[in-house]
Amino acid sequence: MKLPYAEPYKIKMVESVKRSTKEQRLKWIKEAHYNLFNLSSNKVFIDLLTDSGTGAMSDKQWAEMMIGDESYAGSSSFHKLKDTVKKITGFKYFLPTHQGRAAENVLFSALVKAGDVIPGNSHFDTTKGHIEFRQAAAIDCTIDEAFDTSNPHPFKGNVDLKKLEAVFKTHPKEKIPFCIVTITCNSSGGQPVSMENIKAVSALCKQHEITLIFDAARFAENAYFIKKRETGFENKTIKEITKTFFSFGDGMTMSSKKDGLVNMGGFIALNDEETYKKAITFNIMFEGFITYGGMNGRDMGALAVGLDEATEFDYLESRVEQIAYLGKKIVAFGVPVQKPFGGHAIFLDANKFVPTIPREEYRAQALAVELYIIGGIRGVEIGTILADRDPITRENRYPDLELVRLAIPRRVYSYNHMDYIAAVLKNIFDSRNEAKHGYKIVEEAPIMRHFTVKLEKI
Ligand code: F0G
């Protein structure tokens, strides 16, 4: 008999999660105005809202917390982290920040001016926010295959080189402070970028004298996909792969809440001394002194260990294959999802799942709410509500894809939880034709409405 897969860790500490009844959840979600962000976590059974800062630390990380050095300047925890970042990324200079968007704020303060353009592959919301806040523009150069959920392309995070070259040719290089490549690409479904593509983007950037920055929040998952899917990397270690792709860039911003395996933290790593010096000033103003940047000493220590653990094959296999297990299971039930499965999440395709609910009635949100009512599972809508209104016409913007993201926290849930999620989805899918109506908005904020929007059932 072929042996089944089993995780390369055992559990030392457990946290209870509350079960609830469907009647309770119907009441709670109504009180929350059908907005899953308004639910307190004790009303959620399985929380798939995000994989950011929601992972479980290892015993070695917790041990590091106890010996954290809380010195304001030059703490030994800072040096541990700096050495690990150097070892894993190869970048010369390092600045800690309190999370990923803070790293963006500091680095972009040093580099981005009004009127600039920053090409990349489906910039994450906060990245785009920090660009647009500075009156600059984010230009999406992701390959077209990324936007067809059934296309099995192995590297749907890739940058379209023609689109990138067009940006370089139509804007003077003084207006392009850098190009940003997000690995893996969250906004296109947790999809990886191939080494070949990174290399080609790097060559094009060099040819046009443009800096290349990585948004590296999920860089280790990206390396795992390269090892599994790209010829020539089968026998490389994850650390060799990460070192190789970072060698093609000039720097990175990091949300350590993902592949850093910690609950809070971020950093910037760079090769250019000039940029580092500029960034120091903003780091001190916004984050704190350069040897802590908004992080506790103990958290820097835990992050150093987390980065090491996240770049080990066994951990990544357990992580990415758990998500694929859930994906395969629900695909077998006929549930439409984004393929290939992402590195951190499964994305349900609501346009195919509940086409019977009109788009104007927020079908992806309706599906996310149903998942909560039936199973106590909290996912997140990545559809019309998130896409918000056109700033000029104030009409709803209808994106090509209406998705529900089920982000899986790292080392938190078991295969039984995956089976439970799959069964809930099957039951919803089997009765999908009964779903005729969704929701209407009764109250919304002028921007970023999804966090606070109030809805009513139609
Ligand atoms: N870049 C990417 C690709 C991200 O996914 C995120 C956060 C950030 C930057 C910002 O990092 O949260 O530490 O400030 N993504 C979270 C998510 C919020 O749920 O996908 P942060």
Side-chain angles (χ1 to χ4, degrees), residues 50-52 99-101 104 124 126-127 182 186 215 217-218 255 257-258 265 405:
T50 178
D51 64 320
S52 181
Q99 63 181 93
R101 68 200 69 183
E104 291 163 357
F124 182 67
T126 58
T127 318
T182 305
N186 186 5
D215 173 348
R218 298 180 181 85
S255 167
K257 303 170 74 170
K258 285 84 170 175
R405 184 180 79 170

Side-chain angles (χ1 to χ4, degrees), residues 13-246:
M13 189 187 278
V14 293
E15 177 184 349
S16 296
V17 280
K18 274 236 176 70
R19 291 169 200 279
S20 50
T21 62
K22 186 176 166 186
E23 287 62 43
Q24 284 175 313
R25 293 192 292 268
L26 277 165
K27 177 172 169 282
W28 292 336
I29 193 68
K30 188 166 181 227
E31 286 166 1
H33 305 282
Y34 301 98
N35 182 344
L36 294 148
F37 284 99
N38 284 338
L39 285 172
S40 46
S41 62
N42 62 2
K43 296 188 169 69
V44 177
F45 178 45
I46 300 182
D47 205 345
L48 310 182
L49 187 69
T50 178
D51 64 320
S52 181
T54 52
M57 293 209 297
S58 69
D59 52 353
K60 293 197 177 65
Q61 287 180 285
W62 280 106
E64 201 60 44
M65 298 285 283
M66 298 308 293
I67 54 169
D69 175 359
E70 305 305 335
S71 305
Y72 189 97
S75 93
S76 59
S77 305
F78 166 80
H79 287 292
K80 256 182 216 168
L81 177 56
K82 185 172 180 249
D83 293 347
T84 306
V85 169
K86 178 88 206 291
K87 185 180 82 179
I88 287 173
T89 70
F91 293 124
K92 283 190 216 143
Y93 301 100
F94 164 74
L95 278 175
T97 63
H98 81 275
Q99 63 181 93
R101 68 200 69 183
E104 291 163 357
N105 188 29
V106 170
L107 186 64
F108 297 4
S109 293
L111 296 178
V112 180
K113 302 179 303 301
D116 284 352
V117 296
I118 291 121
N121 56 341
S122 303
H123 311 59
F124 182 67
D125 314 20
T126 58
T127 318
K128 201 170 172 176
H130 274 294
I131 291 170
E132 290 176 354
F133 177 72
R134 293 172 172 82
Q135 271 89 49
I139 304 183
D140 186 8
C141 298
T142 315
I143 55 169
D144 292 337
E145 287 88 334
F147 304 102
D148 169 6
T149 57
S150 58
N151 189 318
H153 192 294
F155 291 103
K156 280 166 110 171
N158 278 0
V159 176
D160 184 321
L161 298 167
K162 290 214 174 72
K163 291 184 194 172
L164 184 62
E165 190 161 30
V167 176
F168 289 167
K169 284 192 169 151
T170 47
H171 298 85
K173 71 172 193 232
E174 297 71 36
K175 292 275 174 211
I176 313 174
F178 55 89
C179 163
I180 190 156
V181 176
T182 305
I183 49 175
T184 59
C185 186
N186 186 5
S187 306
S188 76
Q191 301 294 326
V193 182
S194 72
M195 189 72 84
E196 189 190 8
N197 191 251
I198 292 172
K199 206 171 158 180
V201 169
S202 169
L204 199 59
C205 284
K206 284 207 174 78
Q207 189 193 327
H208 292 267
E209 295 173 57
I210 305 292
T211 300
L212 175 58
I213 299 290
F214 292 104
D215 173 348
R218 298 180 181 85
F219 75 100
E221 288 159 14
N222 201 95
Y224 178 81
F225 284 121
I226 288 177
K227 184 174 168 74
K228 296 293 276 192
R229 296 179 185 170
E230 196 165 347
T231 22
F233 295 94
E234 308 82 346
N235 301 319
K236 300 277 184 220
T237 65
I238 297 296
K239 286 186 172 67
E240 283 166 346
I241 295 173
T242 60
K243 200 81 181 267
T244 307
F245 60 57
F246 284 128

